Amino acid sequence: MPDREAPQADSGEEGVRCDFCNQVVPSVRRVALDRDYERLRTPHREQFACPSCSEKKEKERLGLEHRAR
């Protein structure tokens, strides 16, 4: 899973903004392929997650943690 890094977020702060928690962090990542999970050809809006949000999303996807509503 590749990480995305950028010199600045829109607000001029150092780092990139997580699409899930909206925090500015040094890097974000996106999972596009994993077994039956495929997001390369499936039409959708690409979203990138900080390490914390990425870990939480991975646990939810694997059924190890329930999604908050």
Side-chain angles (χ1 to χ4, degrees), residues 29-65:
R29 62 181 70 148
R30 173 178 176 246
V31 175
L33 286 174
D34 186 22
R35 298 183 194 176
D36 295 334
Y37 187 85
E38 186 277 318
R39 293 296 181 268
L40 294 178
R41 289 178 279 180
T42 305
H44 69 288
R45 183 178 147 248
E46 289 182 3
Q47 293 182 300
F48 293 83
C50 67
S52 177
C53 288
S54 182
E55 183 178 335
K56 182 178 180 184
K57 284 184 55 53
E58 184 73 2
K59 287 179 180 178
E60 289 172 357
R61 190 174 66 79
L62 295 173
L64 302 173
E65 187 173 298

Side-chain angles (χ1 to χ4, degrees), residues 1-38:
M1 84 184 96
D3 288 0
R4 177 178 73 174
E5 296 185 17
Q8 294 185 331
D10 292 338
S11 66
E13 298 169 323
E14 292 290 323
V16 288
R17 190 166 304 278
C18 173
D19 291 322
F20 297 91
C21 68
N22 210 32
Q23 296 294 311
V24 175
V25 294
S27 68
V28 290
R29 62 181 70 148
R30 173 178 176 246
V31 175
L33 286 174
D34 186 22
R35 298 183 194 176
D36 295 334
Y37 187 85
E38 186 277 318

